[in-house]
Amino acid sequence: KGDGKILGLNILGVSKVGEEAGEDASRPDSRIKFVFDEGNFELGTLKVPYPVPFRLPFLRDAVKGWIDITYMSDRMRISRGNKGTTFILLKEDDES
């Protein structure tokens, strides 16, 4: 398992995943918590509901999650989710 270091520097940071991952007290606004309420597949103009009953009480913990923001600039955000997924998001140019 990598430590997130490049040339000895922790450039992007490393997030633990799952139950062992606690919030970083030194970066209180770096975690975004979420709960899915619904999901859909979009196939062109056809919208098909995802077949998971998100709102059933016994499934609520399965549809909760979080992402930690490990890097953010004006144009890019790199985040890591509670299941280990890394997200790299780029801001689109404004069409003015």
Side-chain angles (χ1 to χ4, degrees):
K1 198 169 192 180
D3 63 2
K5 293 183 178 180
I6 300 172
L7 299 174
L9 301 173
N10 193 0
I11 305 291
L12 298 178
V14 173
S15 297
K16 292 183 179 178
V17 297
E19 298 293 323
E20 65 189 30
E23 290 188 56
D24 184 348
S26 68
R27 300 174 52 221
D29 296 326
S30 66
R31 179 167 287 186
I32 300 168
K33 296 179 183 178
F34 61 87
V35 177
F36 288 106
D37 283 327
E38 64 180 42
N40 298 292
F41 295 106
E42 291 187 14
L43 308 167
T45 58
L46 179 64
K47 188 174 181 179
V48 180
Y50 188 72
V52 175
F54 293 105
R55 295 188 178 135
L56 292 176
F58 64 91
L59 290 177
R60 289 312 275 175
D61 285 341
V63 297
K64 291 180 182 177
W66 48 259
I67 59 173
D68 283 335
I69 299 169
T70 56
Y71 173 82
M72 188 160 69
S73 71
D74 291 339
R75 299 249 327 122
M76 180 173 54
R77 177 172 65 206
I78 301 175
S79 303
R80 184 157 188 177
N82 60 301
K83 297 197 179 198
T85 305
T86 299
F87 301 92
I88 300 174
L89 307 168
L90 297 175
K91 185 177 181 179
E92 292 184 0
D93 291 328
D94 293 333
E95 294 182 28
S96 302

